[in-house]
Amino acid sequence: MDIEKIREIIDKEPDEAVSDILEGVKERYGEIPYILEFMRDMPDLLLPKVMYDNSIMREFERLDPKTIELICIGVSSALRCDHCMNMHIRVANRLGLSKEEIFDAVLIAGAISNASVLAEGTRALDTEFNGKKCDGNDECDVCKIANHD
């Protein structure tokens, strides 16, 4: 969101700014996410949140909207947030992504989540049973990654 658009929003009365912002969100998503609807009466929180989120996920041109939704699906799946995942699946469906493409994002999230669980678990086992640990100095005994601070 460019600085002029931000100034324009800030100069409006809070209720008008919230209505305009939520109308734009509805245009983009086809619905207003629950959390934004919940925050409707909290313009001091809602407006900066939407502007920040928008500047991260919607204003740059390096990723297309379909890719952004697949990332959102993968992350919400990995975090096990059904509410976010269901909304982003609906948005992805409206954007024309197939069930198989969406499932691929879920599969990737599952694989990364699995790797994360295994990485933490195996390091904890190595520490407990073999005395190996990552102490932040020099090189990690477990993963052999040098600390370059």
Side-chain angles (χ1 to χ4, degrees):
M1 183 175 293
D2 67 25
I3 194 73
E4 292 305 316
K5 182 69 173 166
I6 292 170
R7 281 190 187 123
E8 186 180 309
I9 292 167
I10 290 172
D11 287 341
K12 292 181 179 185
E13 290 299 315
D15 289 343
E16 183 183 357
V18 166
S19 292
D20 288 352
I21 287 283
L22 292 180
E23 184 179 314
V25 168
K26 188 170 184 175
E27 276 181 37
R28 171 73 179 118
Y29 285 119
E31 63 188 272
I32 298 173
Y34 170 81
I35 192 166
L36 299 184
E37 191 61 54
F38 184 89
M39 294 171 68
R40 178 183 287 274
D41 297 327
M42 303 172 207
D44 291 346
L45 297 173
L46 175 72
L47 296 173
K49 178 193 178 0
V50 171
M51 284 189 269
Y52 174 78
D53 291 352
N54 190 60
S55 68
I56 299 298
M57 297 194 325
R58 306 291 171 220
E59 290 298 320
F60 54 66
E61 298 176 358
R62 295 180 294 273
L63 298 174
D64 63 278
K66 290 180 178 182
T67 302
I68 291 169
E69 287 311 316
L70 291 172
I71 292 168
C72 291
I73 290 165
V75 170
S76 60
S77 178
L79 293 174
R80 297 179 181 167
C81 181
D82 292 342
H83 308 292
C84 293
M85 185 171 33
N86 291 333
M87 192 208 73
H88 286 289
I89 287 172
R90 289 191 302 272
V91 172
N93 188 31
R94 284 194 283 272
L95 288 173
L97 285 158
S98 70
K99 180 180 177 181
E100 293 77 18
E101 290 171 306
I102 294 168
F103 186 55
D104 287 348
V106 173
L107 286 173
I108 292 167
I112 297 299
S113 294
N114 182 355
S116 175
V117 168
L118 292 172
E120 289 298 313
T122 55
R123 282 178 175 82
L125 285 168
D126 249 354
T127 298
E128 183 62 32
F129 287 96
N130 300 324
K132 296 180 178 180
K133 63 181 180 170
C134 292
D135 60 9
N137 297 320
D138 299 322
E139 185 174 272
C140 173
D141 290 338
V142 177
C143 59
K144 302 298 182 204
I145 296 174
N147 183 359
H148 296 289
D149 289 340

